[in-house]
CSV table of all heavy atoms in Angstrom, one decimal:
chain,number,residue,atom,x,y,z
E,1206,ALA,N,13.5,-22.4,-15.3
E,1206,ALA,CA,13.9,-21.4,-14.3
E,1206,ALA,C,12.8,-20.6,-13.7
E,1206,ALA,O,13.0,-19.7,-13.0
E,1206,ALA,CB,15.0,-20.4,-14.9
E,1207,GLY,N,11.6,-21.1,-14.0
E,1207,GLY,CA,10.4,-20.3,-13.6
E,1207,GLY,C,9.8,-20.7,-12.3
E,1207,GLY,O,10.4,-21.6,-11.6
E,1208,VAL,N,8.8,-20.0,-11.8
E,1208,VAL,CA,8.2,-20.3,-10.5
E,1208,VAL,C,6.6,-20.4,-10.7
E,1208,VAL,O,6.0,-19.6,-11.6
E,1208,VAL,CB,8.4,-19.0,-9.6
E,1208,VAL,CG1,7.6,-19.1,-8.3
E,1208,VAL,CG2,9.8,-18.8,-9.3
E,1209,ARG,N,6.0,-21.3,-10.0
E,1209,ARG,CA,4.5,-21.4,-10.1
E,1209,ARG,C,3.9,-21.1,-8.6
E,1209,ARG,O,4.4,-21.7,-7.7
E,1209,ARG,CB,4.1,-22.8,-10.5
E,1209,ARG,CG,2.7,-23.1,-10.5
E,1209,ARG,CD,2.3,-24.6,-10.7
E,1209,ARG,NE,0.9,-24.9,-10.8
E,1209,ARG,CZ,0.4,-26.0,-10.6
E,1209,ARG,NH1,1.1,-27.0,-10.1
E,1209,ARG,NH2,-0.9,-26.2,-10.7
E,1210,TYR,N,3.0,-20.2,-8.6
E,1210,TYR,CA,2.3,-19.9,-7.3
E,1210,TYR,C,0.9,-20.5,-7.5
E,1210,TYR,O,0.2,-20.2,-8.4
E,1210,TYR,CB,2.2,-18.4,-7.1
E,1210,TYR,CG,3.5,-17.7,-7.0
E,1210,TYR,CD1,4.1,-17.0,-8.1
E,1210,TYR,CD2,4.2,-17.6,-5.8
E,1210,TYR,CE1,5.3,-16.3,-8.1
E,1210,TYR,CE2,5.4,-16.9,-5.7
E,1210,TYR,CZ,5.9,-16.3,-6.8
E,1210,TYR,OH,7.1,-15.6,-6.8
E,1211,VAL,N,0.6,-21.3,-6.5
E,1211,VAL,CA,-0.8,-22.0,-6.5
E,1211,VAL,C,-1.7,-21.5,-5.5
E,1211,VAL,O,-1.3,-21.3,-4.3
E,1211,VAL,CB,-0.5,-23.5,-6.3
E,1211,VAL,CG1,-2.0,-24.2,-6.4
E,1211,VAL,CG2,0.4,-24.1,-7.4
E,1212,PHE,N,-3.0,-21.1,-5.9
E,1212,PHE,CA,-3.9,-20.6,-5.0
E,1212,PHE,C,-5.2,-21.5,-5.1
E,1212,PHE,O,-5.6,-21.9,-6.2
E,1212,PHE,CB,-4.3,-19.1,-5.3
E,1212,PHE,CG,-3.2,-18.1,-5.2
E,1212,PHE,CD1,-2.2,-18.0,-6.2
E,1212,PHE,CD2,-3.1,-17.4,-4.0
E,1212,PHE,CE1,-1.2,-17.1,-6.0
E,1212,PHE,CE2,-2.1,-16.5,-3.9
E,1212,PHE,CZ,-1.1,-16.3,-4.9
E,1213,GLU,N,-5.8,-21.7,-4.0
E,1213,GLU,CA,-7.0,-22.5,-3.9
E,1213,GLU,C,-8.2,-21.9,-3.3
E,1213,GLU,O,-8.0,-21.1,-2.4
E,1213,GLU,CB,-6.8,-23.9,-3.3
E,1213,GLU,CG,-5.8,-24.8,-4.1
E,1213,GLU,CD,-5.6,-26.2,-3.3
E,1213,GLU,OE1,-6.0,-26.3,-2.1
E,1213,GLU,OE2,-4.9,-27.0,-3.9
E,1214,GLY,N,-9.4,-22.2,-3.8
E,1214,GLY,CA,-10.6,-21.6,-3.2
E,1214,GLY,C,-11.6,-21.1,-4.3
E,1214,GLY,O,-11.2,-21.2,-5.5
E,1215,ARG,N,-12.7,-20.5,-3.8
E,1215,ARG,CA,-13.6,-20.0,-4.8
E,1215,ARG,C,-14.0,-21.1,-5.9
E,1215,ARG,O,-14.2,-20.8,-7.0
E,1215,ARG,CB,-13.1,-18.8,-5.4
E,1215,ARG,CG,-14.2,-17.7,-5.5
E,1215,ARG,CD,-13.5,-16.4,-6.1
E,1215,ARG,NE,-13.4,-16.3,-7.5
E,1215,ARG,CZ,-12.5,-15.8,-8.2
E,1215,ARG,NH1,-11.5,-15.1,-7.6
E,1215,ARG,NH2,-12.5,-15.8,-9.5
E,1216,GLY,N,-14.0,-22.3,-5.4
E,1216,GLY,CA,-14.4,-23.4,-6.3
E,1216,GLY,C,-13.5,-23.9,-7.3
E,1216,GLY,O,-13.7,-24.6,-8.2
E,1217,GLY,N,-12.2,-23.5,-7.1
E,1217,GLY,CA,-11.1,-24.1,-8.0
E,1217,GLY,C,-9.7,-23.7,-7.6
E,1217,GLY,O,-9.5,-23.1,-6.6
E,1218,THR,N,-8.8,-24.1,-8.5
E,1218,THR,CA,-7.4,-23.8,-8.2
E,1218,THR,C,-6.9,-22.8,-9.4
E,1218,THR,O,-7.3,-23.1,-10.6
E,1218,THR,CB,-6.6,-25.1,-8.3
E,1218,THR,OG1,-7.0,-25.9,-7.2
E,1218,THR,CG2,-5.1,-24.8,-8.1
E,1219,VAL,N,-6.1,-21.9,-9.1
E,1219,VAL,CA,-5.5,-21.0,-10.0
E,1219,VAL,C,-4.0,-21.0,-9.8
E,1219,VAL,O,-3.5,-21.0,-8.7
E,1219,VAL,CB,-6.0,-19.6,-9.9
E,1219,VAL,CG1,-5.1,-18.6,-10.6
E,1219,VAL,CG2,-7.4,-19.5,-10.5
E,1220,SER,N,-3.2,-21.0,-10.9
E,1220,SER,CA,-1.8,-20.9,-10.8
E,1220,SER,C,-1.3,-19.6,-11.5
E,1220,SER,O,-1.8,-19.3,-12.6
E,1220,SER,CB,-1.2,-22.1,-11.5
E,1220,SER,OG,-1.5,-23.3,-10.9
E,1221,ALA,N,-0.3,-19.0,-10.9
E,1221,ALA,CA,0.3,-17.8,-11.5
E,1221,ALA,C,1.7,-18.2,-11.8
E,1221,ALA,O,2.5,-18.7,-10.9
E,1221,ALA,CB,0.3,-16.6,-10.6
E,1222,TYR,N,2.2,-18.0,-13.1
E,1222,TYR,CA,3.5,-18.4,-13.5
E,1222,TYR,C,4.4,-17.2,-13.8
E,1222,TYR,O,3.9,-16.3,-14.5
E,1222,TYR,CB,3.5,-19.3,-14.8
E,1222,TYR,CG,2.7,-20.6,-14.6
E,1222,TYR,CD1,1.4,-20.6,-14.9
E,1222,TYR,CD2,3.4,-21.8,-14.2
E,1222,TYR,CE1,0.6,-21.8,-14.8
E,1222,TYR,CE2,2.7,-22.9,-14.1
E,1222,TYR,CZ,1.3,-23.0,-14.4
E,1222,TYR,OH,0.6,-24.2,-14.3
E,1223,SER,N,5.6,-17.2,-13.3
E,1223,SER,CA,6.5,-16.2,-13.7
E,1223,SER,C,7.9,-16.8,-14.1
E,1223,SER,O,8.2,-17.9,-13.7
E,1223,SER,CB,6.8,-15.2,-12.5
E,1223,SER,OG,7.5,-15.8,-11.5
E,1224,GLU,N,8.6,-16.0,-15.0
E,1224,GLU,CA,9.9,-16.5,-15.4
E,1224,GLU,C,9.9,-17.7,-16.3
E,1224,GLU,O,10.9,-18.4,-16.5
E,1224,GLU,CB,10.9,-16.7,-14.3
E,1224,GLU,CG,11.4,-15.4,-13.7
E,1224,GLU,CD,12.3,-14.6,-14.6
E,1224,GLU,OE1,13.4,-14.9,-15.1
E,1224,GLU,OE2,11.7,-13.5,-15.0
E,1225,LEU,N,8.8,-18.0,-17.0
E,1225,LEU,CA,8.7,-19.0,-18.0
E,1225,LEU,C,9.3,-18.4,-19.3
E,1225,LEU,O,9.0,-17.2,-19.6
E,1225,LEU,CB,7.4,-19.6,-18.1
E,1225,LEU,CG,6.7,-20.3,-17.0
E,1225,LEU,CD1,5.4,-20.9,-17.4
E,1225,LEU,CD2,7.6,-21.4,-16.4
E,1226,THR,N,10.0,-19.3,-20.1
E,1226,THR,CA,10.4,-18.8,-21.4
E,1226,THR,C,9.1,-18.8,-22.4
E,1226,THR,O,8.1,-19.3,-22.0
E,1226,THR,CB,11.4,-19.8,-22.0
E,1226,THR,OG1,10.8,-21.0,-22.3
E,1226,THR,CG2,12.6,-19.9,-21.1
E,1227,ARG,N,9.3,-18.1,-23.5
E,1227,ARG,CA,8.2,-18.0,-24.5
E,1227,ARG,C,7.8,-19.5,-24.9
E,1227,ARG,O,6.6,-19.8,-25.0
E,1227,ARG,CB,8.6,-17.2,-25.7
E,1227,ARG,CG,7.5,-17.1,-26.7
E,1227,ARG,CD,8.0,-16.2,-27.9
E,1227,ARG,NE,6.9,-15.8,-28.7
E,1227,ARG,CZ,6.6,-16.6,-29.7
E,1227,ARG,NH1,7.1,-17.8,-30.0
E,1227,ARG,NH2,5.6,-16.2,-30.6
E,1228,ASP,N,8.7,-20.3,-25.1
E,1228,ASP,CA,8.4,-21.7,-25.6
E,1228,ASP,C,7.7,-22.5,-24.5
E,1228,ASP,O,6.7,-23.2,-24.7
E,1228,ASP,CB,9.8,-22.4,-26.0
E,1228,ASP,CG,10.3,-21.9,-27.3
E,1228,ASP,OD1,9.5,-21.2,-28.0
E,1228,ASP,OD2,11.5,-22.2,-27.6
E,1229,GLU,N,8.1,-22.2,-23.2
E,1229,GLU,CA,7.4,-22.9,-22.1
E,1229,GLU,C,6.0,-22.5,-22.0
E,1229,GLU,O,5.1,-23.3,-21.7
E,1229,GLU,CB,8.2,-22.7,-20.8
E,1229,GLU,CG,9.6,-23.4,-20.8
E,1229,GLU,CD,10.4,-23.0,-19.6
E,1229,GLU,OE1,10.2,-21.9,-19.0
E,1229,GLU,OE2,11.3,-23.8,-19.2
E,1230,VAL,N,5.8,-21.2,-22.1
E,1230,VAL,CA,4.5,-20.6,-22.0
E,1230,VAL,C,3.5,-21.2,-23.1
E,1230,VAL,O,2.4,-21.6,-22.9
E,1230,VAL,CB,4.5,-19.1,-22.0
E,1230,VAL,CG1,3.0,-18.5,-22.2
E,1230,VAL,CG2,5.1,-18.5,-20.8
E,1231,LEU,N,4.0,-21.2,-24.4
E,1231,LEU,CA,3.2,-21.7,-25.4
E,1231,LEU,C,3.0,-23.2,-25.4
E,1231,LEU,O,1.9,-23.6,-25.8
E,1231,LEU,CB,3.9,-21.3,-26.8
E,1231,LEU,CG,4.0,-19.8,-27.0
E,1231,LEU,CD1,4.7,-19.5,-28.4
E,1231,LEU,CD2,2.6,-19.1,-26.9
E,1232,ALA,N,3.9,-23.9,-24.9
E,1232,ALA,CA,3.7,-25.4,-24.7
E,1232,ALA,C,2.7,-25.6,-23.6
E,1232,ALA,O,1.8,-26.5,-23.9
E,1232,ALA,CB,5.0,-26.0,-24.3
E,1233,ARG,N,2.7,-24.8,-22.6
E,1233,ARG,CA,1.6,-25.0,-21.6
E,1233,ARG,C,0.3,-24.6,-22.1
E,1233,ARG,O,-0.8,-25.1,-21.8
E,1233,ARG,CB,2.1,-24.2,-20.3
E,1233,ARG,CG,1.2,-24.5,-19.2
E,1233,ARG,CD,1.8,-23.8,-17.9
E,1233,ARG,NE,3.0,-24.4,-17.5
E,1233,ARG,CZ,3.2,-25.5,-16.8
E,1233,ARG,NH1,2.0,-26.1,-16.3
E,1233,ARG,NH2,4.3,-26.0,-16.4
E,1234,ALA,N,0.3,-23.5,-22.9
E,1234,ALA,CA,-0.9,-22.9,-23.5
E,1234,ALA,C,-1.6,-23.9,-24.4
E,1234,ALA,O,-2.8,-24.0,-24.6
E,1234,ALA,CB,-0.8,-21.7,-24.2
E,1235,ALA,N,-0.8,-24.8,-25.0
E,1235,ALA,CA,-1.3,-25.9,-25.9
E,1235,ALA,C,-2.1,-26.9,-25.0
E,1235,ALA,O,-2.9,-27.7,-25.6
E,1235,ALA,CB,-0.2,-26.5,-26.7
E,1236,GLN,N,-1.7,-27.0,-23.8
E,1236,GLN,CA,-2.3,-28.1,-22.9
E,1236,GLN,C,-3.5,-27.6,-22.1
E,1236,GLN,O,-4.4,-28.3,-21.7
E,1236,GLN,CB,-1.2,-28.6,-21.9
E,1236,GLN,CG,0.0,-29.1,-22.6
E,1236,GLN,CD,-0.4,-30.4,-23.4
E,1236,GLN,OE1,-1.1,-31.2,-23.0
E,1236,GLN,NE2,0.3,-30.5,-24.6
E,1237,GLU,N,-3.5,-26.3,-21.7
E,1237,GLU,CA,-4.6,-25.7,-21.0
E,1237,GLU,C,-4.7,-24.2,-21.3
E,1237,GLU,O,-3.8,-23.6,-21.8
E,1237,GLU,CB,-4.3,-25.8,-19.5
E,1237,GLU,CG,-3.0,-25.0,-19.1
E,1237,GLU,CD,-2.7,-25.0,-17.5
E,1237,GLU,OE1,-3.7,-24.7,-16.8
E,1237,GLU,OE2,-1.6,-25.3,-17.1
E,1238,PRO,N,-5.9,-23.6,-21.1
E,1238,PRO,CA,-6.1,-22.2,-21.4
E,1238,PRO,C,-5.3,-21.3,-20.4
E,1238,PRO,O,-5.2,-21.6,-19.2
E,1238,PRO,CB,-7.6,-22.0,-21.2
E,1238,PRO,CG,-8.2,-23.3,-21.2
E,1238,PRO,CD,-7.2,-24.3,-20.7
Side-chain angles (χ1 to χ4, degrees):
V1208 176
R1209 179 192 184 201
Y1210 299 95
V1211 182
F1212 296 82
E1213 291 181 351
R1215 226 176 78 211
T1218 298
V1219 164
S1220 299
Y1222 300 91
S1223 66
E1224 283 299 289
L1225 296 185
T1226 66
R1227 183 177 187 276
D1228 288 344
E1229 288 171 341
V1230 169
L1231 296 181
R1233 189 171 292 275
Q1236 302 296 319
E1237 62 171 313

